[in-house]
Every structure is written in structure tokens, then in C-alpha cells.
């Protein structure tokens, strides 16, 4: 029950990241580059302070290798995520993001030598059909480059999730990842500090996203992931687009079209079928 509760909190944090990003970027309250920089640095400072208080200086001695890789993934995810949300709605962006995550994890599963059954391939086909429908040229919500950015952001997040399976200490590993990502994000400074593109409101959303829903949310996720199967980790993330879509309706009055709901049902239902079938095979 405790793991279920913590997983639910992590999914709420992920959905809140989509909402905060959209709130900050929809009206140009802050640029995507500045939002990314402030978000990552806020998360790094918050986690470093917590790690220092809880474990002292020794907490910074280890796990820099995983931190390096997760930091690169985190930076790419955060930057592409912010750029995409300058155009995409909250739920639509989250659906593309986590659809991309699941396809990436399934692709890694196949790359590692696993084979899919006929029913698993059916689930993938159904999901892919929904995805193609969602991003088809006939879709009124289609914006090409933000969708591509969100797709790549999802691939980066999948890498971050896989790295989380390799660590037994959530706080140090996540902190190192944020520190590395902060160093990389220094390169965004020439674009981030356009004073005409930054407002107090935008900064507030970026700090909340970085310190709370990203920093603390990712520590929570890194703490949960090693204790659950990759199947459960994947299935739980399928809840995020639905939560984000509801948040977008409540806080930004975004509309939900029948096309969005049907394509979401195909994408998430197909992936759920594939993952469930994998679980049945592994349990035999």
C-alpha cells in the first residue's frame, strides 16, 4: 500500500510538471530556455541542500557515473519538454511524452533479445495506430516541431527511468543527475536571460517545477522504481496523460476533443495490453 501511495504521488508530480510548464509558457511569461535553466538549477540546489543535511559531504562522494548519464538525459528531457510546451496543450503533450517513453522501453526490451508474442504485437499495433492518428496531418492539434521535440524528450525520459533501475540510493543519484544537468544548462544562458521574456510569475512556476515536482518528485520516483517491476513502472506512467489532461481542463480551460480521447484510449490501451501480456509470460 505504501509503494502504491508513493507511486501515485510521483505520477501526480509528473502531471503537475506538464501543467506548470504550460502555465509558464502558454502566455510567454518566461522563455523555454530560461524555464529549463531555472527549473534544473532550482532542483539541483534543493536536492543538494537535502543531501548535505541528511548525509553530509560524504553523500556527494559516489554515484557520479550514473549521475553523469542521468544528468545528460535529464537536461535533454527538460529542454525539449519546455520547447514543446510553448505550443502543445497540457494533456496532448503529456500523451506524446509518455507514449514515446513506453515505445522506447518496449524497443529496449526488444533490443535486449526479448521476443513479442502475437498478442503483444497486436497491442503495439493498436497503440501505434492511435499514435499515428493523434499526430496525423488531419489532426487540428498538429504542430510538427513541438511534437518532434516531445517525442525526443520522451526518449530521454525513458533513459532516465532505465538508469533509475540501477541505483539503490535515490537521493544521491538524483542529486548528481541534477548537478550535471545544471552544469550543462549553463550553455542556455545566452538565450535564457532575455529580460523581456522573463516575468516573476514565470520564474515562480519554474522554481516550483524544479524544486518540488521535479527535484522531490524524481527522488520519490527513483526510490520507488527499484522496488517495483519495469512492467509496473511502465503501467503507472500511463496514468500521467489522463491526469495532465484533467489538470489542463481545470486550470487552463483546455478542451478535450473526441479525437484526443479515442487516440489516447488506443495508445494507452494497446501499450497496457502488451505490458500485461509480457507480465503473464514472465509469471509462467
Amino acid at each position: 500500500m505504501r509503494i502504491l501511495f508513493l507511486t501515485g504521488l510521483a505520477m501526480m508530480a509528473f502531471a503537475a510538471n506538464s501543467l506548470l510548464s504550460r502555465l509558464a509558457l502558454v502566455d510567454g511569461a518566461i522563455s523555454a530556455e530560461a524555464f529549463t535553466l531555472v527549473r534544473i538549477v532550482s532542483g539541483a540546489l534543493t536536492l543538494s541542500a537535502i543531501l548535505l543535511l541528511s548525509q553530509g559531504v560524504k553523500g556527494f562522494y559516489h554515484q557520479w557515473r550514473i549521475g553523469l548519464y542521468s544528468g545528460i538525459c535529464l537536461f535533454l528531457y527538460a529542454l525539449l519538454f519546455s520547447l514543446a510546451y510553448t505550443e502543445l496543450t497540457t494533456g496532448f503533450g503529456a500523451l506524446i511524452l509518455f507514449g514515446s517513453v513506453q515505445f522506447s522501453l518496449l524497443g529496449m526490451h526488444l533490443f535486449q533479445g526479448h521476443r513479442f508474442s502475437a498478442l503483444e504485437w497486436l497491442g503495439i499495433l493498436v497503440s501505434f495506430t492511435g499514435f499515428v492518428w493523434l499526430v496525423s496531418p488531419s489532426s487540428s492539434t498538429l504542430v510538427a516541431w513541438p511534437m518532434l521535440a516531445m517525442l525526443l524528450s520522451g526518449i530521454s525520459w525513458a533513459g532516465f527511468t532505465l538508469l533509475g533501475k540501477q541505483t539503490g540510493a535515490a537521493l544521491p543519484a538524483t542529486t548528481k543527475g541534477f548537478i550535471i544537468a545544471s552544469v550543462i544548462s549553463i550553455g542556455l544562458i545566452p538565450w535564457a536571460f532575455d529580460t523581456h521574456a522573463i516575468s516573476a510569475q514565470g520564474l515562480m512556476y519554474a522554481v516550483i517545477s524544479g524544486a518540488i515536482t521535479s527535484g522531490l518528485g524524481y527522488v520519490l520516483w527513483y526510490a520507488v522504481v527499484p522496488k517495483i517491476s519495469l512492467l509496473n513502472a511502465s503501467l503507472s506512467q500511463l496514468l500521467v496523460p489522463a491526469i495532465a489532461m484533467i489538470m489542463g481542463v481545470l486550470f487552463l480551460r483546455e478542451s478535450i476533443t473526441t479525437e484526443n480521447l479515442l487516440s489516447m484510449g488506443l495508445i494507452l490501451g494497446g501499450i497496457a495490453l502488451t505490458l500485461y501480456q509480457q507480465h503473464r509470460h514472465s509469471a509462467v
Side-chain angles (χ1 to χ4, degrees):
M1 183 62 70
R2 179 174 176 270
I3 294 298
L4 182 62
F5 175 71
L6 294 178
T7 301
L9 284 181
M11 297 308 103
M12 291 292 292
F14 294 166
N17 268 328
S18 292
L19 178 65
L20 289 166
S21 298
R22 188 61 179 155
L23 283 169
L25 298 168
V26 65
D27 293 324
I30 190 172
S31 68
E33 294 83 3
F35 184 88
T36 302
L37 177 63
V38 174
R39 178 186 178 188
I40 291 175
V41 172
S42 297
L45 292 174
T46 301
L47 296 180
S48 294
I50 295 173
L51 181 61
L52 186 63
L53 290 173
S54 62
Q55 300 185 23
V57 179
K58 65 180 182 180
F60 293 88
Y61 290 167
H62 306 292
Q63 295 192 323
W64 282 103
R65 183 182 179 187
I66 290 181
L68 174 62
Y69 297 138
S70 65
I72 294 172
C73 289
L74 178 62
F75 171 77
L76 292 174
Y77 149 76
L79 177 60
L80 294 166
F81 181 88
S82 299
L83 290 170
Y85 266 126
T86 59
E87 298 287 344
L88 302 180
T89 61
T90 307
F92 188 76
L95 183 56
I96 295 175
L97 174 72
F98 284 95
S100 176
V101 169
Q102 299 310 317
F103 283 129
S104 299
L105 293 177
L106 288 172
M108 179 58 68
H109 194 68
L110 186 63
F111 178 76
Q112 291 174 343
H114 299 279
R115 293 294 177 262
F116 296 140
S117 68
L119 193 57
E120 288 169 344
W121 277 116
L122 175 62
I124 293 172
L125 178 61
V126 169
S127 183
F128 186 71
T129 300
F131 203 81
V132 171
W133 183 18
L134 183 71
V135 303
S136 65
S138 62
S139 173
S140 59
T141 54
L142 175 67
V143 188
W145 72 261
M147 287 173 43
L148 177 60
M150 194 63 89
L151 284 169
L152 295 175
S153 179
I155 293 173
S156 300
W157 177 257
F160 186 80
T161 297
L162 290 171
L163 288 166
K165 293 289 290 182
Q166 301 177 24
T167 177
L171 179 58
T174 310
T175 302
K176 308 308 173 30
F178 266 86
I179 291 173
I180 295 297
S182 295
V183 173
I184 299 173
S185 67
I186 292 174
L188 295 176
I189 288 177
W191 295 274
F193 289 102
D194 177 0
T195 56
H196 298 292
I198 298 178
S199 68
Q201 185 180 35
L203 285 173
M204 178 186 70
Y205 289 139
V207 170
I208 294 173
S209 177
I212 301 175
T213 57
S214 292
L216 298 181
Y218 296 171
V219 168
L220 182 60
W221 183 234
Y222 260 18
V224 169
V225 164
K227 296 179 174 62
I228 61 178
S229 67
L230 187 58
L231 169 70
N232 289 332
S234 299
L235 286 175
S236 62
Q237 291 183 78
L238 297 183
L239 296 172
V240 177
I243 298 172
M245 194 170 288
I246 293 171
M247 287 182 171
V249 172
L250 293 177
F251 294 99
L252 287 168
R253 297 183 179 179
E254 294 174 344
S255 61
I256 301 177
T257 66
T258 302
E259 183 181 63
N260 288 160
L261 289 175
L262 290 175
S263 59
M264 181 172 69
L266 288 174
I267 294 170
L268 303 186
I271 292 173
L273 174 62
T274 299
L275 294 174
Y276 175 71
Q277 188 67 14
Q278 286 183 358
H279 177 66
R280 288 187 62 189
H281 284 173
S282 64
V284 174

